[in-house]
Amino acid sequence: MRTSLLLVLALLLPLHAFAATAEEVVKKSQAAFLYAGKDFKARVMMTLISKGGQKRVREMTMLRKNYGEVGGSQKYFIYFFQPADVRDMAFMVNKYPAKDDDRWLFVLAINMVRRIAARDKSSSFVGSDFTYEDVSGRDLEDDTHAIVKEEKLGTNDCYVVKSTPKAADVDYSYKISWIDKIHFLPVKEEYYDKKGELYKVFTADEITDIKGLPTITKRTMKNLQSGHTTEVIFAKTDYNIGIEDNLFSERYLRQPPKKWIE
Amino acid sequence: MRKVSLVEFSVNHPKLIVSLAIIFTLAFATQIPKMKTDTNPKNMLPATSDVRVWNDEVEKTFSLYEDMIVVGIVNENGILNKESLGKIIRITDEILKINGVAWRDVNSFPTITNVSAEAGVLKVAPLMTDVPQTDEEINALRKTLFENPLFVNRIISRDSKTTAIYVPLEKGANGKEIADRMREIVNKEGGSESYYIAGDPVARDTFGADMFKLMAVFSPISGMIMFLAIYLMFRNLSLSISMMTVAMISITWSVGLLIGLGFPIHIMSSMSPVFLMAIATDSIHIFNEYYFRYREKKNKKLAILETMEAVSRPVRYTALATAAGFAVLLLMHIIPVKVFGGLVAFGTIVLRLLSFSFLPAILTFIKEEKIEKAAAREDIGLSRSARLLKALGGFGAQKPKATVLVSLVLVIVAIIGTTKINVNNNMVEWFKYDSEVRTADRVMNQALGGTSLGYLVATAEEADFIKTPEAMRYIEALQRHLEKLSVVGKTVSVVDIVKRVSKVLHDDDPQYEVVPKTQEEIGQYLFMFSMSAKPSDLDNLVDYPFQKANIWVQLKTWDAQAMREINKSVDEFKKNHPISMELKPAGIAYFNLVWNDEVLYDMLRGFILALIVVFVILVFNFRSVKWAILGSIPLLFTILLIYGGLGFIGKDFDMPISVLSCLSLGMAVDFAIHFISRFKQRIVDSLQPVFSGQSPAPCTPNSELITESLLWTAARPGKGIMRNAVLFASAFSVMMFASLTPYITVGAFIVSMMMLSSILTIIYVPALITLMKDWLFKKNAITQNQI
């Protein structure tokens, strides 16, 4: 209620005062980037490219369902198609605000579901240049945010936001994000290491409208220091498809319903 | 004779010659401030060499770092306590901030990936993010450490007293600067722990810095000692100054040229100033003769011209031999050796040019009375040293059989010694035993798996083969096989990770710490591991298509030989266990082996080449094969004695020694050239009356004349030879006090070579001439033309 009141007030003010706060921008960005729709599905093709140009492919179906507001709980279900020897492995994450995630993995070869500890959010997601946090996001309160400037990046008018983690539990010392003023998706992100040197760059390479929701369907994360790159393409992306709660269970982890993963 | 006319010109236009020399010197000197050093052992071989191309490829395939520094922390009461662990965390944290450190792949307690199971929850995370506070927590950490074979002997020693932080460096980072910063960090922590900083980049870059210091300190000291020695020999300041000036000029020209051409200074070329100073002392023969002549003629200019006439031939040929000895190095494969050879060969030619221009010009400036004073001391009959030399030469001439017999015994002993020679290179042993670098290396090698690293790359015929149980079991067996070698401290491969994950997934049941039965299982375990581990954890060990596996072999020594043992052991294993996988060594340890072999091969080639070149020069000089053979005997004898000595002392035959072997031929032969040339000339001069008025007539000198001439040669040019040898030796003796062993080696080698070859020349040449006079002076053997 107070937010909308503020919004009305803001609309009434002269243009130069029409400046969003950094927290607002980041929150809107999270809503567009990580919380779009009630639920979400995509066939994810992730290509890991080494410095020498060698490639590894991870292909998976990713399902997400929101529980609550932006910044609230979410559940993820990931089913792997590639590499070939991990086909039928499935991975489930329950994400909670201000609390460690719960993660489960179904290991087909030993026919067992294993809980996986998730203390280290900045660890690599399936060997890629994305971390678990890059996939599921950070809590808004974990960082201090500041709008550094506003500028045009390509054709996008952007807020340039600097987010500095409050605790030293991540690899980077701060992140600069270019957030589009219209759809609030991050167009580009730069991660600076503890020595203040740029080391990772995220770019949104393709943004597609899906059911009226702008979605990054092609993205790249490049580690400038190791020379490693990860490219991600979303196919068969869809929103609000009515994923049931019982999908996120051990039973379905072992035997995922075809209709969701295909 | 063109040379004499250059001398005449110089004597007539001394000021012009001196000004020209100054101008050229200043021009070359302008290049010196651009100096760079290169102590990276990789650059010993060209970037296009097979081993470097292969190593680069391996580094790329497995995302490996070229350079790694290892920080050792030792607590005699054990490292697993709150204080020490706190220090490890703080030190690691600080190290991550150093520029040039590849922080994402630093392995230490707080950063190394640990796969564990806690209360049924699988955990792939850094080992220790916070300092454990309670005894239970510390015991849990201890348990985690010692039950994981990926940790034991890597980040924790078996006695839990030592830990290590592995710090990979970004390309082009300066190892010494980073190591210095690390020292600051650990010094701030202090406490009862001792800290050690080891690793190839530290050794290499510390070596570079030390080399620079030594070059700056020892060259002037060598110069001073020579200056003093010359002064003591001739008691004439202007003479000492002019000789040193000649040396300085040639150093400036050659070093200036080298830098101007864009070459960096390597280990060998850093010694070139001392070499050139020593080679410059060859002009002692000019001064030696000049003083004798001046005493006889009392005319400055005439004495100069006559001196140059008398010594020009030996001086020219000795210069040629020396230059050729160094120039042979240009044909070698080892880059620093090539550069060094070219540098000194050029410097030697410059020196000779100056001997025939600048030196005579300078001589004209020396005041007559000063020369007279100095020359008064030069009397064959009175001078004690000349009498001693005469006695030495006399011993050889009068007891030739005994002399030769003694030498034969020595040759046999020396040959026995040479069989004990061990060809080896060890970068760390380039530092003295108790130096910081070597101590750190020793401590780390005793406590942990070893600081030198070799790789074995297994390549299968098809992708995904590495994930088969067959390949896994093969690699595992190979690791156990290699670990039997005493030089191998630890091996790590992808199999260790698979086994670890298997065990952890099965509630830590040790029964499951084995290679799984199916490829699916292996693939899924590896995938699970890669879901949370650092990308490099797996990338360092397998390539992307799982076609290649990289087995890390930590060695407890930097000896090049260690890798040869491993290769042998691998070949043996391959023969007994055939599989469709190729195994190929790589890494710095492998590079050291290749380089070591290259040095040996190069040395053999160079030695033979130098021998041929020197012999040809002798043949040209004496215009006789017989005399050339005679001239090479003291030389070969000297080298053989030194090699025999090396074998008995047990000193490794390393790069500096092999280089010295080649070029020493060119330097050591000088004495024989001087001795024999002057002896033959003396005979001719004595026979002059016989020839007078006629065209050169056949003549054979009789025994008395030969003996008399030998004694004269031993006393007069012999004094020049001894002076030369002593000066040479004194210049190099300084190096024996260096902090780096290659300098000590070079110093000791040259000192013994110079002293031995000069003494052997003075004793053995007379003995051999006396014994073989009939063969040497056959009918018509000596004519004026022949000299």
Side-chain angles (χ1 to χ4, degrees), chain A residues 54-56 85-86 89 105 108-110 114-117 119 123-124 127 132 193 195 197 225 228, chain B residues 61 97-99 101 103-104 121-122 129 467 505 521 524-525 527-528 530-532 539 543-544:
Chain A
Q54 304 186 76
K55 286 182 182 173
R56 260 183 201 152
D85 42 24
V86 305
M89 272 173 88
L105 179 73
L108 180 72
I110 50 168
R114 277 281 166 204
R115 262 194 77 184
I116 296 180
R119 224 170 72 194
S123 64
S124 149
Y132 279 89
D193 69 13
K195 288 174 267 179
E197 276 172 47
Q225 289 175 2
H228 200 278
Chain B
T61 308
K97 290 186 203 148
I98 302 176
N99 273 327
V101 164
W103 55 273
R104 60 196 169 275
V121 179
L122 181 77
T129 38
K467 285 194 277 195
L505 268 182
E521 223 175 310
Q524 291 178 18
Y525 290 176
F527 187 69
M528 269 185 67
S530 74
M531 280 180 75
S532 311
D539 289 353
D543 74 337
Y544 270 35

Side-chain angles (χ1 to χ4, degrees), chain A residues 48-56 58 80 82-87 89 91 103 105-112 114-120 123-129 132 171-172 192-195 197 199 223-229, chain B residues 60-63 65 96-105 118 120-130 170-171 464 467 504-507 518-525 527-528 530-535 538-539 542-546:
Chain A
L48 283 52
I49 307 164
S50 79
K51 194 180 184 177
Q54 304 186 76
K55 286 182 182 173
R56 260 183 201 152
R58 273 105 176 76
F80 291 100
Q82 272 197 75
D85 42 24
V86 305
R87 200 185 161 95
M89 272 173 88
F91 185 49
R103 298 176 189 167
L105 179 73
F106 172 60
V107 188
L108 180 72
I110 50 168
N111 194 25
M112 265 198 273
R114 277 281 166 204
R115 262 194 77 184
I116 296 180
R119 224 170 72 194
D120 194 27
S123 64
S124 149
F125 175 72
V126 295
S128 73
D129 293 292
Y132 279 89
D171 273 352
Y172 60 93
Y192 289 82
D193 69 13
K194 305 229 159 139
K195 288 174 267 179
E197 276 172 47
Y199 87 102
N223 187 323
L224 301 174
Q225 289 175 2
S226 69
H228 200 278
T229 306
Chain B
K60 222 166 157 186
T61 308
F62 297 104
S63 313
Y65 293 92
L96 293 179
K97 290 186 203 148
I98 302 176
N99 273 327
V101 164
W103 55 273
R104 60 196 169 275
D105 288 326
E118 276 168 29
V121 179
L122 181 77
K123 200 169 122 192
V124 181
L127 171 67
M128 180 187 87
T129 38
D130 304 298
E170 302 283 11
K171 242 192 168 68
D464 284 332
K467 285 194 277 195
V504 167
L505 268 182
H506 292 91
D507 301 314
T518 64
Q519 181 174 341
E520 286 68 40
E521 223 175 310
I522 294 167
Q524 291 178 18
Y525 290 176
F527 187 69
M528 269 185 67
S530 74
M531 280 180 75
S532 311
K534 286 187 260 182
L538 211 53
D539 289 353
V542 276
D543 74 337
Y544 270 35
F546 285 92

Side-chain angles (χ1 to χ4, degrees), chain A residues 28-44 62 64 135 156 180 182-187 202-220 232-240:
Chain A
K28 278 185 183 169
S29 179
Q30 287 197 343
F33 189 33
L34 304 160
Y35 284 84
K38 282 194 193 86
D39 56 28
F40 155 87
K41 175 191 171 177
R43 181 77 159 237
V44 178
M62 187 190 272
R64 162 174 60 77
V135 178
N156 307 67
D180 186 279
I182 297 164
H183 52 59
F184 281 94
L185 287 172
V187 182
F202 165 91
T203 47
D205 306 320
E206 185 186 277
I207 296 175
T208 317
D209 238 34
I210 290 161
K211 284 189 176 168
L213 296 165
T215 308
I216 301 174
T217 45
K218 205 172 156 195
R219 68 192 75 189
T220 306
V232 180
I233 297 171
F234 280 9
K236 300 183 189 169
T237 316
D238 208 350
Y239 289 102
N240 302 329

Side-chain angles (χ1 to χ4, degrees), chain B residues 210-275:
Chain B
D210 283 7
M211 188 174 101
F212 220 72
K213 264 187 256 162
L214 286 180
M215 193 173 155
V217 171
F218 281 102
S219 306
I221 294 180
S222 281
M224 295 284 275
I225 290 188
M226 280 177 58
F227 182 83
L228 207 70
I230 298 170
Y231 180 75
L232 289 176
M233 282 174 190
F234 295 100
R235 305 268 170 198
N236 184 329
L237 205 59
S238 42
L239 192 148
S240 316
I241 292 171
S242 55
M243 204 138 128
M244 292 317 294
T245 311
V246 169
M248 291 307 151
I249 293 174
S250 96
I251 291 168
T252 314
W253 288 25
S254 41
V255 174
L257 180 70
L258 181 84
I259 295 167
L261 289 176
F263 286 101
I265 302 282
H266 299 106
I267 162 87
M268 289 309 296
S269 33
S270 77
M271 304 183 196
S272 63
V274 181
F275 272 93

Side-chain angles (χ1 to χ4, degrees), chain B residues 275-319:
Chain B
F275 272 93
L276 287 174
M277 272 190 275
I279 294 168
T281 58
D282 200 38
S283 54
I284 206 86
H285 294 281
I286 297 174
F287 292 106
N288 195 50
E289 191 60 25
Y290 177 64
Y291 283 90
F292 281 115
R293 297 270 169 178
Y294 184 81
R295 256 177 75 81
E296 290 159 13
K297 295 277 151 53
K298 301 278 177 211
N299 178 321
K300 211 160 72 166
K301 228 173 190 170
L302 194 65
I304 295 174
L305 292 176
E306 269 192 23
T307 299
M308 296 317 286
E309 179 92 55
V311 300
S312 79
R313 190 184 176 90
V315 165
R316 247 180 333 163
Y317 274 95
T318 53

Side-chain angles (χ1 to χ4, degrees), chain B residues 9 45 80 92 238 247 299 314 419 449 453 507 512 572 648 660:
Chain B
F9 180 83
L45 295 179
L80 298 175
T92 308
S238 42
N299 178 321
T419 60
L453 186 60
D507 301 314
Y512 287 93
E572 187 187 292
F648 282 118
L660 287 169

